[in-house]
Amino acid sequence: MIEPGGTIGILGGGQLGRMTALAAAALGYRCHIFSPEPESPAKRVTALATTADYGDRAALRQFAAAVDVITFEFENVPAESVEVLAALKPVRPGPDALRIAQDRLKEKDFLRSIDVATARYREVASEKALTEAVREIGPEAVLKTVRLGYDGKGQVTIRTNTDLAAAWSRMGAGLGILESLVDFASEISVIVARGMDGACAAYVPVENRHSHHILDTTIAPARIAPEIAMRAEAIARHVAEKLDLVGLLAVEMFVTRDGAVLVNELAPRPHNSGHWTIDACVTSQFEQFVRAVCGLPLGSPERHSDAVMKNLLGDEVAQWRDALSDPMAKLHLYDKGAPRPGRKMGHVTRLSPRR
Ligand code: AMP
């Protein structure tokens, strides 16, 4: 166990690291942020920081020497860097979970291997392979890069009349995955925490609305049948166990019109669809993350309020005044400076207390 007073090393300097550092501080921990940007939302709230490239081995070794445990707030840390760190200090979740979550093909293969349903998919390594994969999967599909894709980056939707050569080059022409286009009734996610003793605590499934592939709104709880909610939660727990994960796992899923639950994506870290838990639950996802990573017992994920979380994307950050005029709204700003289109600048959670 890392006791309060210890230092948690976090790879990544964004808002997830910022909110983790704030929760860690409440429990008496310090956070040391490692990221290439000298100024970042997480570094603005922590005294300890390293500014270096994720591949800088000397900086990684110094960072490891300065902290008690290491985690990450985004997946795209080079696997080799995580191996360097893991030889020096505990890294939670471990390199295996990261390797799977970094690669959409490995992720889907892993899910299949543990009997979790996903959209149908094929690996595509060339334009010719894309044509064949479209023949097998069907003309309505999504082409995604296998690595480094997030918030819809590196994604191309394919329909009957799509020019496949153009789609292939738009995707980036690297290794890709073609998935069948799911005609979903809703998109949901479940965040589950898993402690070092294997204990799990899952938050209620929430419903996610996207705008241009970026999360716009999370509705907690999701408006789905209790039986579907139970299945979604069971899937999230199952995946966390099979990954032998210590930390947090967000599982993004599609609920199809005929009630099937298909897993779309895994994120082994705090997740945007869990921001509502800061204001609406006994234990927030960030506190739960700190507890799990430090080997403390998990807290209750129970919610005292229903909630709707709205991301403030780009210029929407100007709405901060409106949020403050609603007494049941909780405003969170990430201190990112100038807004850019689609950039996550903050969020507002509107609460409806449960009686
Ligand atoms: P991802 O980067 O995989 O999380 O995808 C971002 C968003 O694109 C998802 O939240 C969905 O709204 C949409 N999307 C991704 N994959 C599919 C799919 N196979 N079928 C339908 N919509 C998808």
Side-chain angles (χ1 to χ4, degrees):
M1 183 196 291
I2 316 294
E3 297 197 358
T7 302
I8 304 166
I10 302 177
L11 295 163
Q15 64 270 17
L16 300 174
R18 178 186 178 91
M19 290 183 271
T20 301
L22 295 173
L27 288 173
Y29 291 96
R30 298 166 191 180
C31 287
H32 183 137
I33 307 297
F34 187 115
S35 81
E37 311 84 25
E39 297 262 320
S40 73
K43 283 181 179 167
R44 292 203 171 101
V45 300
T46 51
L48 307 170
T50 298
T51 300
D53 207 76
Y54 292 118
D56 182 338
R57 294 193 170 214
L60 289 167
R61 281 193 207 98
Q62 270 183 18
F63 169 70
V67 304
D68 298 303
V69 63
I70 297 166
T71 191
F72 40 87
E73 59 112 54
F74 81 131
E75 291 82 291
N76 294 322
V77 182
E80 309 73 55
S81 302
V82 178
E83 304 284 356
V84 169
L85 295 170
L88 299 167
K89 283 284 156 71
V91 176
R92 298 177 189 145
D96 291 349
L98 192 68
R99 214 175 292 115
I100 289 172
Q102 277 179 345
D103 182 309
R104 290 185 192 274
L105 263 174
K106 285 203 179 85
E107 190 172 86
K108 290 239 161 35
D109 289 345
F110 166 74
L111 290 166
R112 285 286 162 112
S113 77
I114 61 165
D115 294 321
V116 170
T118 66
R120 287 183 300 128
Y121 66 96
R122 290 283 181 282
E123 175 179 336
V124 281
S126 66
E127 195 188 313
K128 182 164 167 281
L130 176 61
T131 312
E132 280 161 22
V134 168
R135 211 174 295 134
E136 286 172 25
I137 296 281
E140 304 245 292
V142 186
L143 178 65
K144 302 178 179 178
T145 51
V146 163
R147 296 179 67 91
L148 300 178
Y150 65 97
D151 285 348
K153 292 191 174 67
Q155 263 190 47
V156 188
T157 305
I158 293 180
R159 310 256 179 205
T160 319
N161 53 2
T162 302
D163 174 348
L164 295 183
W168 175 249
S169 70
R170 247 180 70 205
M171 188 270 288
L175 187 61
I177 177 172
L178 187 77
E179 298 177 12
S180 60
L181 188 70
V182 178
D183 180 25
F184 53 78
S186 63
E187 289 191 76
I188 62 169
S189 56
V190 174
I191 296 175
V192 59
R194 188 164 179 271
M196 287 187 62
D197 56 358
C200 281
Y203 293 95
V204 71
V206 297
E207 189 174 326
N208 299 317
R209 300 271 181 81
H210 293 83
S211 147
H212 307 292
H213 297 280
I214 300 173
L215 183 66
D216 183 78
T217 302
T218 293
I219 301 165
R223 294 159 303 174
I224 50 177
E227 184 267 323
I228 292 179
M230 269 171 54
R231 253 192 293 146
E233 191 184 315
I235 290 170
R237 286 174 186 269
H238 175 61
V239 176
E241 267 158 31
K242 291 292 180 186
L243 281 174
D244 197 19
L245 179 124
V246 174
L248 278 193
L249 179 72
V251 183
E252 294 179 37
M253 305 174 228
F254 299 121
V255 181
T256 66
R257 295 190 191 279
D258 51 7
V261 178
L262 307 177
V263 171
N264 176 38
E265 225 186 356
L266 306 176
R269 52 161 172 80
H271 193 257
N272 195 169
S273 70
H275 290 359
W276 67 280
T277 63
I278 300 174
D279 300 305
C281 293
V282 175
T283 313
S284 76
Q285 65 162 345
F286 298 102
E287 179 179 343
Q288 207 73 297
F289 183 44
V290 169
R291 285 177 179 238
V293 162
C294 291
L296 305 181
L298 300 178
S300 166
E302 197 179 325
R303 73 185 194 287
H304 49 73
S305 299
D306 292 343
V308 175
M309 188 282 315
K310 166 85 182 83
N311 271 337
L312 299 176
L313 300 171
D315 290 340
E316 288 174 356
V317 69
Q319 295 170 15
W320 65 269
R321 282 177 207 280
D322 307 338
L324 291 180
S325 66
D326 175 351
M328 293 310 284
K330 301 291 289 181
L331 175 67
H332 300 258
L333 295 175
Y334 310 148
D335 194 7
K336 284 192 176 175
R340 280 201 306 267
R343 193 172 196 207
K344 292 173 179 169
M345 305 299 292
H347 71 267
V348 181
T349 302
R350 292 196 160 74
L351 298 172
S352 309
R354 300 170 76 193
R355 295 183 209 284

